[in-house]
Amino acid sequence: MNIESYKKCSSAISLQGREKSVRKSSIRATSVSDITDGLSNQEKTDVSTTLTESKDIDINTMDVSTQQAFKKIVRNAAESLDLPSEADTNDAYIQLLGIFDSTSENYNNLSEATSNLIDDIDSNHQSSFDFISGSDVLAAQHGTVSVRLLGSTFNILIAGITGGPLSSYVRRRGFSALAAALESRLAATIHSNQFGYLIKGSVGAMVKFADPGLYLAQVIDQHDKIRNNGWIEAW
């Protein structure tokens, strides 16, 4: 995907504030099935059990097989960002994984992960003929959280919790269980529950969207300090 496509993606996100409701942007939608692709049913169950029963989400406390399965989920999430180069995707994987790694400076820190990925993308495209920048790609600034990165984090959590299609999980356990699990796991990831009320109020609509994580991130972007600008000013 070239830089013009990314500019269009960024514009689509920022213009959503003019709409009365959250709509899907031109960024490629990421389904829960995309994020769990390549995992066996047992791996999905192991990750779901670990994520829902652990006080904090830390890959260093997972057993080897569960950690490897969780890393597959994070890798799929990084690839679903559809970044300009393979190097960018590899860096996105490292930065996203760091959010769940207590030995990383990114641990529980989406703002740090955003800033680091901006720097990584900038470094990967230093050619004078390469006009791609991390800020443009992520539609974020240093010190803020990218809506795209928050959306990917949500998708990782949603995929880990449900292990598959949202509709199947809701049929088995209901919307309230999904909202409670997601609210709890987000709080464990960022050590804040300030957006819990938005999650509770959006779960019903979330299951109808092809990219549930991005939808939730955009809902939060509609209610943060500077609304509908493509990044979150809350951390």
Side-chain angles (χ1 to χ4, degrees), residues 48-109:
S48 178
T49 300
T50 298
L51 258 61
T52 54
E53 295 183 356
S54 301
K55 179 179 179 181
D56 296 307
I57 304 175
D58 182 3
I59 60 172
N60 297 292
T61 63
M62 299 177 183
D63 62 54
V64 174
S65 60
T66 302
Q67 183 186 105
Q68 292 304 312
F70 185 75
K71 286 181 176 180
K72 289 180 185 177
I73 289 175
V74 177
R75 166 60 69 176
N76 287 341
E79 291 178 352
S80 295
L81 282 169
D82 199 20
L83 297 176
S85 72
E86 183 176 354
D88 298 331
T89 299
N90 290 335
D91 288 329
Y93 167 70
I94 292 170
Q95 302 303 341
L96 282 169
L97 187 64
I99 296 170
F100 308 97
D101 180 356
S102 60
T103 67
S104 169
E105 64 180 352
N106 290 358
Y107 187 55
N108 298 148
N109 193 334

Side-chain angles (χ1 to χ4, degrees), residues 2-4 6-7 84 121-122 124-137:
N2 59 36
I3 186 59
E4 290 301 318
Y6 274 91
K7 288 179 178 178
I121 294 173
D122 286 344
N124 293 336
H125 301 276
Q126 291 183 331
S127 168
S128 58
F129 299 102
D130 192 338
F131 300 103
I132 292 174
S133 75
S135 295
D136 287 340
V137 171

Side-chain angles (χ1 to χ4, degrees), residues 161-231:
I161 291 167
T162 64
L166 283 174
S167 56
S168 297
Y169 184 92
V170 169
R171 280 198 299 270
R172 295 195 314 271
R173 303 194 181 186
F175 287 111
S176 296
L178 176 59
L182 187 54
E183 181 182 358
S184 168
R185 296 305 80 199
L186 180 64
T189 302
I190 66 173
H191 287 183
S192 171
N193 61 359
Q194 61 184 310
F195 296 120
Y197 74 100
L198 291 175
I199 293 174
K200 289 178 181 177
S202 303
V203 163
M206 179 187 74
V207 300
K208 301 175 183 178
F209 280 73
D211 191 328
L214 181 60
Y215 167 75
L216 281 181
Q218 290 172 335
V219 168
I220 291 174
D221 189 27
Q222 284 193 341
H223 293 83
D224 65 348
K225 185 177 180 181
I226 304 175
R227 301 180 177 185
N228 302 299
N229 63 349
W231 57 82

